[in-house]
Amino acid sequence: MLSASAVIGVSFAYLLVLFGIAWLGDLRARQGRSLIDRSWIYALSLAVYCTAWTYFGSVGRAASGGVWFLPIYLGPTLAMALGWMVLRKMVRIAKTYRITSIADFIGSRYGKSPLLAGLVTVIAVVGIVPYIALQLKAVSAGYALLTAADSLLPTGSGQHWTSDGTFYIALALAGFTIIFGARHLDTTERHEGMVAAIAFEGVIKLVAFLAVGIFVTWGLFDGLGDLFVRAQAEPALSRLLHLEQGSSFAWAQWFALTLLSMLSVLFLPRQFQIMVVENVRESHLRRAAWLFPLYLLVINLFVLPIALGGLLYFGPGKMNPETFVLSLPLAAGQHALALFAFIGGLSAATGMVIVETIA
């Protein structure tokens, strides 16, 4: 296990780096030298789609359903590859009518109805609040796993709120959101510092997840071949390597999940904020149309290997699969890698919380 002071110190040092990048982005914007006027930064900022669920939940999903974590990422891939012209039209409409949110966009399409826009806002807030809570819970659970198995006391156990490290991370994120997102009176102004920080987070969480995947595949096992051969030899794990659930493949469920994720990448408030509102140049969509799907492909390369590796290493039912990204390096004594993986998960969670709150 790692010391609490080390985990908290590194976490807040990372948040300070984000503050520095955001400050630099805002400074460059005031000087007329935009830091985010680059198509690859725009494409990386779209990776805010990958939240803490990508880091923890997708591995847990793969550990119970095999490749059934894929529709969540196939949908955005298809939306970007096949529907980037629709996105281009959305960007044009937003720039023409100075639209600043998904509520404005939907309301403007139906007679500029304030009632409809208000209803969309209420629905978005109701959906966002528990999702933000899940991100903070993921950070809290990861911190508990890194520091001590019993450090996360159950609800109602008497733990005072001042001893909850996640509370202070939430305060830091609130400060970030206020400073770099909500202090301007002009709501149509782009949040260039925020976008630059989100793009940086996209790189960190990708590299951290790949590092864990490479370690599990070639550090704990002898490569993908060895990993899949061992999994195939275990009756409880071999089913995870097949698409079928039971006697047949659930095409309707697969299609529904893919369609839902296609719509979510277009209409989730944080995705609309980054993809449409924060867009600097319409031409950036061309690179994002292939770079964002490529990002989703790469970050998911090791989801199934990590899930299988955790089940083989610990045994089915012995460890929560959603913690494999952290627990596997910890169990192998790779504390630095485990801490890096935690920072990657922190990046995934904080990026979502920041952009969703601004949106």
Side-chain angles (χ1 to χ4, degrees):
M1 299 299 172
L2 301 174
S3 67
S5 58
V7 177
I8 293 175
V10 172
S11 298
F12 277 97
Y14 175 71
L15 292 178
L16 286 176
V17 170
L18 293 185
F19 271 85
I21 293 173
W23 176 82
L24 177 62
D26 278 355
L27 176 64
R28 292 283 296 269
R30 290 193 297 269
Q31 295 173 344
R33 299 182 298 143
S34 175
L35 187 65
I36 66 170
D37 191 12
R38 295 169 176 82
S39 57
W40 61 271
I41 291 183
Y42 173 72
L44 284 173
S45 68
L46 298 184
V48 72
Y49 179 83
C50 298
T51 65
W53 191 90
T54 297
Y55 247 77
F56 306 111
S58 61
V59 174
R61 177 70 167 135
S64 62
V67 297
W68 277 84
F69 71 94
L70 284 177
I72 304 300
Y73 304 99
L74 287 176
T77 298
L78 293 174
M80 293 298 297
L82 304 178
W84 69 271
M85 289 184 290
V86 175
L87 295 176
R88 182 177 64 183
K89 186 173 182 180
M90 291 172 64
V91 170
R92 289 178 178 176
I93 292 172
K95 292 182 184 298
T96 301
Y97 296 99
R98 297 172 64 86
I99 288 171
T100 60
S101 70
I102 186 62
D104 287 344
F105 182 83
I106 294 177
S108 69
R109 296 293 87 195
Y110 293 90
K112 299 183 179 180
S113 169
L115 179 62
L116 179 58
L119 178 61
V120 172
T121 301
V122 170
I123 293 173
V125 171
V126 170
I128 285 170
V129 170
Y131 201 9
I132 289 176
L134 284 175
Q135 307 305 304
L136 298 178
K137 182 180 179 182
V139 172
S140 179
Y143 168 79
L145 182 65
L146 286 181
T147 53
D150 59 352
S151 64
L152 188 63
L153 300 179
T155 303
S157 62
Q159 181 187 27
H160 199 267
W161 60 268
T162 56
S163 63
D164 185 1
T166 314
F167 171 74
Y168 298 102
I169 291 178
L171 286 182
L173 296 183
F176 185 101
T177 304
I178 292 170
I179 294 172
F180 298 106
R183 77 179 190 269
H184 303 295
L185 293 177
D186 184 6
T187 57
T188 61
E189 182 180 14
R190 287 190 298 271
H191 309 92
E192 299 211 2
M194 181 269 290
V195 174
I198 296 303
F200 175 76
E201 285 192 314
V203 175
I204 295 299
K205 62 190 177 187
L206 176 63
V207 173
F209 198 84
L210 289 178
V212 174
I214 291 171
F215 166 73
V216 171
T217 305
W218 286 278
L220 296 181
F221 299 90
D222 293 329
L224 290 173
D226 175 53
L227 188 60
F228 283 104
V229 167
R230 291 194 190 188
Q232 188 67 43
E234 296 284 342
L237 302 185
S238 62
R239 63 177 182 83
L240 301 178
L241 303 177
H242 303 282
L243 285 173
E244 296 83 1
Q245 286 190 340
S247 59
S248 62
F249 181 65
W251 290 104
Q253 185 180 357
W254 186 279
F255 174 79
L257 289 173
T258 303
L259 179 61
L260 183 63
S261 59
M262 285 181 67
L263 297 176
S264 68
V265 80
L266 297 176
F267 299 121
L268 278 175
R270 70 177 184 276
Q271 294 302 131
F272 187 88
Q273 178 73 30
I274 289 292
M275 191 178 296
V276 177
V277 178
E278 304 292 348
N279 178 270
V280 176
R281 296 182 187 275
E282 182 184 301
S283 59
H284 291 175
L285 282 170
R286 289 185 176 272
R287 174 164 293 180
W290 63 265
L291 187 55
F292 178 47
L294 178 62
Y295 183 99
L296 295 180
L297 171 65
V298 174
I299 203 171
N300 282 286
L301 285 177
F302 291 105
V303 169
L304 191 56
I306 292 174
L308 294 175
L311 292 173
L312 288 169
Y313 191 88
F314 296 114
K318 300 293 181 61
M319 180 70 71
N320 183 359
E322 294 187 356
T323 67
F324 283 168
V325 173
L326 300 177
S327 59
L328 283 169
L330 276 178
Q334 299 292 327
H335 292 174
L337 178 59
L339 182 57
F340 185 35
F342 175 75
I343 295 300
L346 181 65
S347 295
T350 55
M352 179 273 177
V353 172
I354 291 168
V355 180
E356 204 78 88
T357 305
I358 291 175

